[in-house]
Amino acid sequence: MPPAVMARAETLFDVENRDNNAPMSGSEMRSALALYDGIMPTLGDRFTADIFAEFGRPRCKMLANFGVGYNHIDVAAARDHGVTVSNTPGAVTDATADIAMTLLLMSARRTAEGERLVRSGNWAGWHPTQMLGLHVSGKTVGIIGMGRIGQAIAQRCHFGFGMQVLYANRSHKEVDFPARQVSLTDLAEHSDIVVVAVPGGAETRHMIGSTFFNTMQDHAHFINIARGDVVDEAALIDALQAGRIGGAGLDVYEFEPEVPQALTRLDNVTLLPHLGTAALEVRTAMGMLALDNLQAFFDGETPPNAV
Ligand code: NAP
C-alpha cells in the first residue's frame, strides 16, 4: 500500500499488513475471513463461492476491494454470508483512460516496435516508408462499454484527436459529446480502433472472439484495458498471427500474469503489465476510497461504494 494509505489505516484500525504481493491462497483467504473484521483485497485475490462456503457468518463483515473491477469476488456469495463488498470507482477513471490512449497510440504508430529497433542497434536511419503505422487523428474509434472509463476514453479521442466515436453498451446510454451507440457488429465493422472498457465476469467472458476479429477491418487496431477474460485470447492470437487485424495493445490478459509466448513473439502487439492505475497519487486515492468505505461501514453507515 502507498505509505499515506497505511498511515491513515493505522489511525482508524488495528492493521495487519500482508507483506506479499502474490495473490492470496485459498487458505489465506479463509483464515483472513475468520481472523479480521475487514479486509482490503485486490485483483488476484479470488474470493469465490467456495472460499465463503465453510462459514456460516465469518468474523469478516467487509471486503473493501482496492480497485474498481471486482469480478474476482463472488458478491452474491459474500452477501449470503453477511459480507459487504465495496470498490473504488472514479479514482481510477482518468489514469486508466490515459493508459488506453497510450496503448492506442503505441499500437497504431508502432512505437514499441520502433523502440525495440533503436535499442537493438539495427536502426539504419529515417526514410520515407520506414515503419509506417496507422494515422490516428480523425479516425473512428469504437468503444465497448461506455461507463466511466469508456466515456473518459471517448472524450480524449473526440476532443484531443478529432475522432468519430462509436460505442456499444449493454443498456441504452446518452452521453453529452458527439458519439453514436451501435451494435457490437457495426462497431467491429466500422471502427479503425476498438477499445474494450467493460467489466470482467461471467456476463462479458469471451464477448470478443473470432467472429468479432473477422468482422474488424484489416487495418484496425484492438485495445483492451478492461479484463483479459473479456477476450478469447487464442482468437486474438490467431487474428494477429494471420494479419487479419492491424495490431493490438493489451494491458490485461486472460490468464494474467501469464502472457503466452505466442503474444510476446509477435511484433504487431503492444504488451503492458496491467499499468492502468499505476501512478502513486491514483493508487493513494484508491486506497483512501477503500478506507472511506471501511470507515463508513464500521461507523454503522452505508459504505459509499458498496456493490
Ligand atoms: P463502469 O462505469 O461500471 O462501466 C462499465 C460499462 O460497461 C457500463 O456502461 C456497462 O453498461 C457496460 N457493460 C457492462 N456489461 C456489458 C456488456 N455485456 N456489453 C456491453 N457493455 C457492458 O466501470 P468503469 O469504472 O468504466 O470500469 C470498467 C472496467 O475497467 C472495470 O470493471 C475494470 O475491470 C476495468 N479496469 C481496468 C483497469 C486497468 O488497470 N487496466 C483499471 C480500472 C478499471 P451499463 O450502462 O448497462 O451498466
Side-chain angles (χ1 to χ4, degrees):
M1 278 296 140
V5 177
M6 277 309 289
R8 179 171 163 223
E10 279 160 359
T11 65
L12 294 171
F13 306 109
D14 291 330
V15 181
E16 191 162 329
N17 180 29
R18 179 175 179 267
D19 198 11
N20 175 355
N21 288 316
M24 294 172 82
S25 67
S27 60
E28 274 182 295
M29 285 182 280
R30 288 187 186 94
S31 39
L33 285 171
L35 284 172
Y36 304 110
D37 298 307
I39 305 172
M40 194 194 288
T42 193
L43 73 130
D45 302 329
R46 295 174 47 77
F47 280 87
T48 52
D50 60 308
I51 299 294
F52 296 100
E54 75 179 44
F55 299 97
R57 304 252 141 181
R59 170 170 176 167
C60 175
K61 296 286 176 271
M62 173 83 184
L63 290 181
N65 187 54
F66 181 86
V68 67
Y70 53 88
N71 54 304
H72 52 287
I73 300 174
D74 188 325
V75 177
R79 194 176 300 125
D80 289 347
H81 293 269
V83 181
T84 298
V85 179
S86 65
N87 69 344
T88 62
V92 304
T93 302
D94 284 333
T96 312
D98 292 349
I99 280 292
M101 298 312 291
T102 306
L103 280 171
L104 185 158
L105 288 164
M106 287 181 79
S107 186
R109 298 298 302 275
R110 301 172 61 181
T111 60
E113 199 184 333
E115 216 241 4
R116 286 194 291 276
L117 177 64
V118 174
R119 283 183 190 273
S120 74
N122 294 328
W123 181 41
W126 190 95
H127 68 79
T129 56
Q130 185 206 10
M131 285 201 64
L132 303 182
L134 175 73
H135 180 55
V136 167
S137 295
K139 290 292 190 299
T140 297
V141 65
I143 296 173
I144 303 171
M146 200 55 142
R148 289 171 292 251
I149 296 171
Q151 290 181 46
I153 296 166
Q155 287 174 326
R156 282 158 173 72
C157 288
H158 172 73
F159 295 111
F161 293 86
M163 298 171 85
Q164 287 81 53
V165 178
L166 303 177
Y167 62 99
N169 196 68
R170 177 174 55 185
S171 56
H172 176 74
K173 192 147 224 170
E174 300 285 343
V175 292
D176 56 6
F177 49 84
R180 193 156 56 88
Q181 186 162 1
V182 296
S183 70
L184 199 57
T185 307
D186 281 348
L187 183 145
E189 216 172 305
H190 298 294
S191 300
D192 299 300
I193 298 156
V194 171
V195 187
V196 183
V198 293
E203 191 188 328
T204 55
R205 187 174 178 277
H206 284 193
M207 76 183 276
I208 309 294
S210 55
T211 309
F212 187 91
F213 294 122
N214 288 337
T215 310
M216 281 174 67
Q217 306 183 70
D218 57 9
H219 69 267
H221 287 250
F222 178 81
I223 311 300
N224 186 8
I225 52 81
R227 282 290 180 267
D229 63 357
V230 174
V231 178
D232 177 348
E233 202 164 81
L236 173 62
I237 290 168
D238 281 351
L240 288 166
Q241 283 175 338
R244 278 202 299 280
I245 61 173
L250 307 176
D251 194 38
V252 288
Y253 304 88
E254 186 166 359
F255 304 104
E256 203 169 310
E258 196 186 303
V259 179
Q261 273 199 349
L263 282 177
T264 57
R265 286 200 185 111
L266 285 169
D267 253 341
N268 57 351
V269 62
T270 301
L271 307 168
L272 296 184
H274 205 142
L275 292 181
T277 59
L280 178 60
E281 66 185 84
V282 178
R283 294 278 164 83
T284 301
M286 290 163 67
M288 293 303 182
L289 206 47
L291 288 177
D292 291 344
N293 281 280
L294 285 164
Q295 187 177 16
F297 181 83
F298 289 110
D299 283 350
E301 296 159 15
T302 305
N305 308 111
V307 296

